[in-house]
Amino acid sequence: GGAKILSLALSGNTALTDLYLTDNTIESRGRAAFLNLVCNMTNIENVFKSNHTLQCIHLDELTSPSRSNEFLQQALDINRSFHGDASAVCLAKVNAFHKKEMSVLQNEN
């Protein structure tokens, strides 16, 4: 959808810190695309290549909570906390999301 296309267009962004998308219907799948933009956890290199500039995406509230929305907010918070220090942002994201992934996997057994 549109959110995925927009997230792909922002992959090389080094200036935009706030994105205003209120009054748009962006559900869990679109939010997952934005999460992938700011924290692509497929491997360490992709985490480093993720967008570390974007600090806030203004979206309407979801009708039901979503794990991707929670992770998206955390990734944006990390970007905001380390604004501009790509190495520190990358390390913080790997630490934060690796722990979450391990917790999810451990709870599945």
Side-chain angles (χ1 to χ4, degrees):
K4 184 172 183 173
I5 293 168
L6 182 57
S7 70
L8 291 171
L10 290 171
S11 63
N13 167 56
T14 59
L16 184 69
T17 58
D18 287 75
L19 183 61
Y20 292 85
L21 295 172
T22 53
D23 297 325
N24 290 282
T25 305
I26 300 175
E27 295 296 331
S28 295
R29 194 178 314 168
R31 290 164 196 252
F34 287 122
L35 173 59
N36 195 51
L37 167 70
V38 296
C39 189
N40 181 338
M41 288 295 292
T42 55
N43 60 50
I44 300 293
E45 182 179 353
N46 285 339
V47 174
F48 193 77
K49 289 179 179 178
S50 295
N51 181 305
H52 305 307
T53 306
L54 200 55
Q55 298 176 11
C56 189
I57 302 176
H58 302 272
L59 299 165
D60 292 330
E61 291 295 320
L62 282 175
T63 53
S64 59
S66 125
R67 175 167 259 143
S68 62
N69 197 50
E70 174 190 331
F71 289 174
L72 172 60
Q73 190 57 54
Q74 185 176 2
L76 291 167
D77 290 345
I78 291 170
N79 282 0
R80 194 170 29 260
S81 297
F82 294 98
H83 51 86
D85 186 345
S87 295
V89 171
C90 182
L91 183 59
K93 288 177 180 178
V94 168
N95 285 332
F97 293 103
H98 176 69
K99 288 177 187 173
K100 285 188 181 290
E101 286 297 316
M102 290 306 295
S103 174
V104 168
L105 291 174
Q106 288 170 350
N107 288 331
E108 287 178 357
N109 295 327

PDB file of all heavy atoms in Angstrom, residues 21-28 31 56-66 69-70 73:
ATOM      1  N   LEU A  21       1.186  12.156   9.342  1.00  0.00           N
ATOM      2  CA  LEU A  21       0.290  11.319   8.553  1.00  0.00           C
ATOM      3  C   LEU A  21      -1.065  11.115   9.223  1.00  0.00           C
ATOM      4  O   LEU A  21      -1.750  10.138   8.958  1.00  0.00           O
ATOM      5  CB  LEU A  21       0.951   9.954   8.291  1.00  0.00           C
ATOM      6  CG  LEU A  21       2.214  10.003   7.437  1.00  0.00           C
ATOM      7  CD1 LEU A  21       2.894   8.641   7.408  1.00  0.00           C
ATOM      8  CD2 LEU A  21       1.886  10.469   6.030  1.00  0.00           C
ATOM      9  N   THR A  22      -1.440  12.046  10.084  1.00  0.00           N
ATOM     10  CA  THR A  22      -2.760  11.932  10.709  1.00  0.00           C
ATOM     11  C   THR A  22      -3.828  12.083   9.635  1.00  0.00           C
ATOM     12  O   THR A  22      -3.576  12.624   8.555  1.00  0.00           O
ATOM     13  CB  THR A  22      -2.946  12.995  11.812  1.00  0.00           C
ATOM     14  OG1 THR A  22      -2.651  14.278  11.266  1.00  0.00           O
ATOM     15  CG2 THR A  22      -2.051  12.716  12.997  1.00  0.00           C
ATOM     16  N   ASP A  23      -5.002  11.592   9.920  1.00  0.00           N
ATOM     17  CA  ASP A  23      -6.136  11.582   8.993  1.00  0.00           C
ATOM     18  C   ASP A  23      -5.896  10.700   7.774  1.00  0.00           C
ATOM     19  O   ASP A  23      -6.477  10.902   6.715  1.00  0.00           O
ATOM     20  CB  ASP A  23      -6.522  13.003   8.540  1.00  0.00           C
ATOM     21  CG  ASP A  23      -6.984  13.859   9.698  1.00  0.00           C
ATOM     22  OD1 ASP A  23      -7.623  13.322  10.623  1.00  0.00           O
ATOM     23  OD2 ASP A  23      -6.691  15.068   9.695  1.00  0.00           O
ATOM     24  N   ASN A  24      -4.991   9.737   7.909  1.00  0.00           N
ATOM     25  CA  ASN A  24      -4.751   8.711   6.893  1.00  0.00           C
ATOM     26  C   ASN A  24      -5.006   7.358   7.563  1.00  0.00           C
ATOM     27  O   ASN A  24      -4.690   7.177   8.730  1.00  0.00           O
ATOM     28  CB  ASN A  24      -3.309   8.759   6.383  1.00  0.00           C
ATOM     29  CG  ASN A  24      -3.046   9.982   5.550  1.00  0.00           C
ATOM     30  OD1 ASN A  24      -3.428  10.042   4.394  1.00  0.00           O
ATOM     31  ND2 ASN A  24      -2.414  10.980   6.157  1.00  0.00           N
ATOM     32  N   THR A  25      -5.545   6.453   6.830  1.00  0.00           N
ATOM     33  CA  THR A  25      -5.808   5.133   7.383  1.00  0.00           C
ATOM     34  C   THR A  25      -4.576   4.264   7.197  1.00  0.00           C
ATOM     35  O   THR A  25      -4.356   3.699   6.130  1.00  0.00           O
ATOM     36  CB  THR A  25      -7.028   4.490   6.690  1.00  0.00           C
ATOM     37  OG1 THR A  25      -8.131   5.393   6.798  1.00  0.00           O
ATOM     38  CG2 THR A  25      -7.386   3.173   7.338  1.00  0.00           C
ATOM     39  N   ILE A  26      -3.751   4.205   8.244  1.00  0.00           N
ATOM     40  CA  ILE A  26      -2.539   3.385   8.205  1.00  0.00           C
ATOM     41  C   ILE A  26      -2.662   2.372   9.332  1.00  0.00           C
ATOM     42  O   ILE A  26      -2.559   2.719  10.501  1.00  0.00           O
ATOM     43  CB  ILE A  26      -1.271   4.235   8.337  1.00  0.00           C
ATOM     44  CG1 ILE A  26      -1.210   5.229   7.178  1.00  0.00           C
ATOM     45  CG2 ILE A  26      -0.034   3.345   8.372  1.00  0.00           C
ATOM     46  CD1 ILE A  26      -0.074   6.217   7.239  1.00  0.00           C
ATOM     47  N   GLU A  27      -2.938   1.147   8.950  1.00  0.00           N
ATOM     48  CA  GLU A  27      -3.142   0.087   9.925  1.00  0.00           C
ATOM     49  C   GLU A  27      -1.835  -0.652  10.199  1.00  0.00           C
ATOM     50  O   GLU A  27      -0.759  -0.193   9.826  1.00  0.00           O
ATOM     51  CB  GLU A  27      -4.237  -0.861   9.433  1.00  0.00           C
ATOM     52  CG  GLU A  27      -5.603  -0.205   9.334  1.00  0.00           C
ATOM     53  CD  GLU A  27      -6.168   0.262  10.663  1.00  0.00           C
ATOM     54  OE1 GLU A  27      -5.852  -0.347  11.714  1.00  0.00           O
ATOM     55  OE2 GLU A  27      -6.934   1.238  10.661  1.00  0.00           O
ATOM     56  N   SER A  28      -1.928  -1.807  10.795  1.00  0.00           N
ATOM     57  CA  SER A  28      -0.755  -2.552  11.254  1.00  0.00           C
ATOM     58  C   SER A  28       0.259  -2.839  10.146  1.00  0.00           C
ATOM     59  O   SER A  28       1.463  -2.707  10.352  1.00  0.00           O
ATOM     60  CB  SER A  28      -1.181  -3.860  11.907  1.00  0.00           C
ATOM     61  OG  SER A  28      -1.907  -3.595  13.071  1.00  0.00           O
ATOM     62  N   ARG A  31       2.172   0.308   9.366  1.00  0.00           N
ATOM     63  CA  ARG A  31       3.062   0.642  10.478  1.00  0.00           C
ATOM     64  C   ARG A  31       4.262  -0.292  10.502  1.00  0.00           C
ATOM     65  O   ARG A  31       5.367   0.108  10.845  1.00  0.00           O
ATOM     66  CB  ARG A  31       2.286   0.611  11.784  1.00  0.00           C
ATOM     67  CG  ARG A  31       1.298   1.766  11.854  1.00  0.00           C
ATOM     68  CD  ARG A  31       0.248   1.581  12.924  1.00  0.00           C
ATOM     69  NE  ARG A  31      -0.855   2.482  12.707  1.00  0.00           N
ATOM     70  CZ  ARG A  31      -1.115   3.556  13.449  1.00  0.00           C
ATOM     71  NH1 ARG A  31      -0.350   3.852  14.457  1.00  0.00           N
ATOM     72  NH2 ARG A  31      -2.140   4.315  13.174  1.00  0.00           N
ATOM     73  N   CYS A  56       9.857  11.065  14.672  1.00  0.00           N
ATOM     74  CA  CYS A  56       8.447  11.031  15.053  1.00  0.00           C
ATOM     75  C   CYS A  56       7.588  10.846  13.808  1.00  0.00           C
ATOM     76  O   CYS A  56       7.773  11.542  12.814  1.00  0.00           O
ATOM     77  CB  CYS A  56       8.069  12.323  15.766  1.00  0.00           C
ATOM     78  SG  CYS A  56       6.429  12.261  16.503  1.00  0.00           S
ATOM     79  N   ILE A  57       6.688   9.894  13.871  1.00  0.00           N
ATOM     80  CA  ILE A  57       5.687   9.715  12.831  1.00  0.00           C
ATOM     81  C   ILE A  57       4.330   9.926  13.496  1.00  0.00           C
ATOM     82  O   ILE A  57       3.941   9.179  14.380  1.00  0.00           O
ATOM     83  CB  ILE A  57       5.762   8.314  12.181  1.00  0.00           C
ATOM     84  CG1 ILE A  57       7.147   8.069  11.575  1.00  0.00           C
ATOM     85  CG2 ILE A  57       4.674   8.184  11.112  1.00  0.00           C
ATOM     86  CD1 ILE A  57       7.322   6.675  10.995  1.00  0.00           C
ATOM     87  N   HIS A  58       3.666  10.981  13.093  1.00  0.00           N
ATOM     88  CA  HIS A  58       2.366  11.321  13.664  1.00  0.00           C
ATOM     89  C   HIS A  58       1.296  10.535  12.928  1.00  0.00           C
ATOM     90  O   HIS A  58       1.043  10.768  11.745  1.00  0.00           O
ATOM     91  CB  HIS A  58       2.113  12.822  13.558  1.00  0.00           C
ATOM     92  CG  HIS A  58       3.160  13.641  14.243  1.00  0.00           C
ATOM     93  ND1 HIS A  58       3.077  13.975  15.566  1.00  0.00           N
ATOM     94  CD2 HIS A  58       4.332  14.148  13.782  1.00  0.00           C
ATOM     95  CE1 HIS A  58       4.144  14.681  15.911  1.00  0.00           C
ATOM     96  NE2 HIS A  58       4.922  14.796  14.840  1.00  0.00           N
ATOM     97  N   LEU A  59       0.684   9.596  13.627  1.00  0.00           N
ATOM     98  CA  LEU A  59      -0.347   8.726  13.059  1.00  0.00           C
ATOM     99  C   LEU A  59      -1.582   8.766  13.939  1.00  0.00           C
ATOM    100  O   LEU A  59      -1.501   9.048  15.134  1.00  0.00           O
ATOM    101  CB  LEU A  59       0.159   7.280  12.996  1.00  0.00           C
ATOM    102  CG  LEU A  59       1.389   7.013  12.140  1.00  0.00           C
ATOM    103  CD1 LEU A  59       1.983   5.654  12.468  1.00  0.00           C
ATOM    104  CD2 LEU A  59       1.005   7.080  10.673  1.00  0.00           C
ATOM    105  N   ASP A  60      -2.718   8.442  13.354  1.00  0.00           N
ATOM    106  CA  ASP A  60      -3.927   8.282  14.155  1.00  0.00           C
ATOM    107  C   ASP A  60      -3.783   7.023  14.997  1.00  0.00           C
ATOM    108  O   ASP A  60      -3.041   6.098  14.652  1.00  0.00           O
ATOM    109  CB  ASP A  60      -5.156   8.157  13.254  1.00  0.00           C
ATOM    110  CG  ASP A  60      -5.461   9.456  12.525  1.00  0.00           C
ATOM    111  OD1 ASP A  60      -5.158  10.537  13.075  1.00  0.00           O
ATOM    112  OD2 ASP A  60      -5.984   9.389  11.402  1.00  0.00           O
ATOM    113  N   GLU A  61      -4.503   6.979  16.107  1.00  0.00           N
ATOM    114  CA  GLU A  61      -4.473   5.810  16.983  1.00  0.00           C
ATOM    115  C   GLU A  61      -5.071   4.601  16.273  1.00  0.00           C
ATOM    116  O   GLU A  61      -6.024   4.724  15.522  1.00  0.00           O
ATOM    117  CB  GLU A  61      -5.269   6.080  18.265  1.00  0.00           C
ATOM    118  CG  GLU A  61      -4.617   7.099  19.176  1.00  0.00           C
ATOM    119  CD  GLU A  61      -3.288   6.639  19.744  1.00  0.00           C
ATOM    120  OE1 GLU A  61      -3.156   5.458  20.117  1.00  0.00           O
ATOM    121  OE2 GLU A  61      -2.361   7.461  19.789  1.00  0.00           O
ATOM    122  N   LEU A  62      -4.490   3.444  16.538  1.00  0.00           N
ATOM    123  CA  LEU A  62      -5.056   2.200  16.026  1.00  0.00           C
ATOM    124  C   LEU A  62      -6.278   1.827  16.845  1.00  0.00           C
ATOM    125  O   LEU A  62      -6.354   2.130  18.037  1.00  0.00           O
ATOM    126  CB  LEU A  62      -4.036   1.066  16.136  1.00  0.00           C
ATOM    127  CG  LEU A  62      -2.930   1.023  15.101  1.00  0.00           C
ATOM    128  CD1 LEU A  62      -1.953  -0.087  15.442  1.00  0.00           C
ATOM    129  CD2 LEU A  62      -3.494   0.799  13.718  1.00  0.00           C
ATOM    130  N   THR A  63      -7.207   1.143  16.214  1.00  0.00           N
ATOM    131  CA  THR A  63      -8.390   0.697  16.951  1.00  0.00           C
ATOM    132  C   THR A  63      -8.039  -0.427  17.918  1.00  0.00           C
ATOM    133  O   THR A  63      -8.696  -0.615  18.926  1.00  0.00           O
ATOM    134  CB  THR A  63      -9.490   0.222  15.983  1.00  0.00           C
ATOM    135  OG1 THR A  63      -8.944  -0.745  15.100  1.00  0.00           O
ATOM    136  CG2 THR A  63     -10.039   1.393  15.187  1.00  0.00           C
ATOM    137  N   SER A  64      -6.978  -1.184  17.615  1.00  0.00           N
ATOM    138  CA  SER A  64      -6.517  -2.223  18.535  1.00  0.00           C
ATOM    139  C   SER A  64      -4.991  -2.165  18.611  1.00  0.00           C
ATOM    140  O   SER A  64      -4.332  -1.831  17.632  1.00  0.00           O
ATOM    141  CB  SER A  64      -6.977  -3.606  18.067  1.00  0.00           C
ATOM    142  OG  SER A  64      -6.470  -3.870  16.782  1.00  0.00           O
ATOM    143  N   PRO A  65      -4.442  -2.469  19.773  1.00  0.00           N
ATOM    144  CA  PRO A  65      -2.985  -2.402  19.932  1.00  0.00           C
ATOM    145  C   PRO A  65      -2.274  -3.364  18.977  1.00  0.00           C
ATOM    146  O   PRO A  65      -2.812  -4.398  18.604  1.00  0.00           O
ATOM    147  CB  PRO A  65      -2.752  -2.826  21.376  1.00  0.00           C
ATOM    148  CG  PRO A  65      -4.070  -2.839  22.038  1.00  0.00           C
ATOM    149  CD  PRO A  65      -5.112  -2.918  20.963  1.00  0.00           C
ATOM    150  N   SER A  66      -1.068  -2.993  18.599  1.00  0.00           N
ATOM    151  CA  SER A  66      -0.306  -3.823  17.693  1.00  0.00           C
ATOM    152  C   SER A  66       1.150  -3.854  18.133  1.00  0.00           C
ATOM    153  O   SER A  66       1.700  -2.842  18.547  1.00  0.00           O
ATOM    154  CB  SER A  66      -0.456  -3.272  16.277  1.00  0.00           C
ATOM    155  OG  SER A  66       0.735  -2.988  15.655  1.00  0.00           O
ATOM    156  N   ASN A  69       3.343  -1.520  16.111  1.00  0.00           N
ATOM    157  CA  ASN A  69       3.192  -0.125  16.514  1.00  0.00           C
ATOM    158  C   ASN A  69       4.037   0.166  17.755  1.00  0.00           C
ATOM    159  O   ASN A  69       4.686   1.204  17.852  1.00  0.00           O
ATOM    160  CB  ASN A  69       1.722   0.199  16.767  1.00  0.00           C
ATOM    161  CG  ASN A  69       1.466   1.677  16.775  1.00  0.00           C
ATOM    162  OD1 ASN A  69       1.872   2.383  15.871  1.00  0.00           O
ATOM    163  ND2 ASN A  69       0.797   2.156  17.810  1.00  0.00           N
ATOM    164  N   GLU A  70       4.034  -0.763  18.706  1.00  0.00           N
ATOM    165  CA  GLU A  70       4.839  -0.615  19.925  1.00  0.00           C
ATOM    166  C   GLU A  70       6.331  -0.566  19.569  1.00  0.00           C
ATOM    167  O   GLU A  70       7.072   0.282  20.056  1.00  0.00           O
ATOM    168  CB  GLU A  70       4.561  -1.796  20.858  1.00  0.00           C
ATOM    169  CG  GLU A  70       5.420  -1.850  22.090  1.00  0.00           C
ATOM    170  CD  GLU A  70       5.244  -3.164  22.828  1.00  0.00           C
ATOM    171  OE1 GLU A  70       4.159  -3.774  22.750  1.00  0.00           O
ATOM    172  OE2 GLU A  70       6.205  -3.590  23.478  1.00  0.00           O
ATOM    173  N   GLN A  73       7.281   2.754  17.788  1.00  0.00           N
ATOM    174  CA  GLN A  73       7.447   3.870  18.721  1.00  0.00           C
ATOM    175  C   GLN A  73       8.782   3.768  19.447  1.00  0.00           C
ATOM    176  O   GLN A  73       9.476   4.767  19.637  1.00  0.00           O
ATOM    177  CB  GLN A  73       6.284   3.916  19.721  1.00  0.00           C
ATOM    178  CG  GLN A  73       6.293   5.180  20.546  1.00  0.00           C
ATOM    179  CD  GLN A  73       6.261   6.433  19.673  1.00  0.00           C
ATOM    180  OE1 GLN A  73       5.399   6.593  18.827  1.00  0.00           O
ATOM    181  NE2 GLN A  73       7.213   7.330  19.869  1.00  0.00           N
TER     182      GLN A  73
END
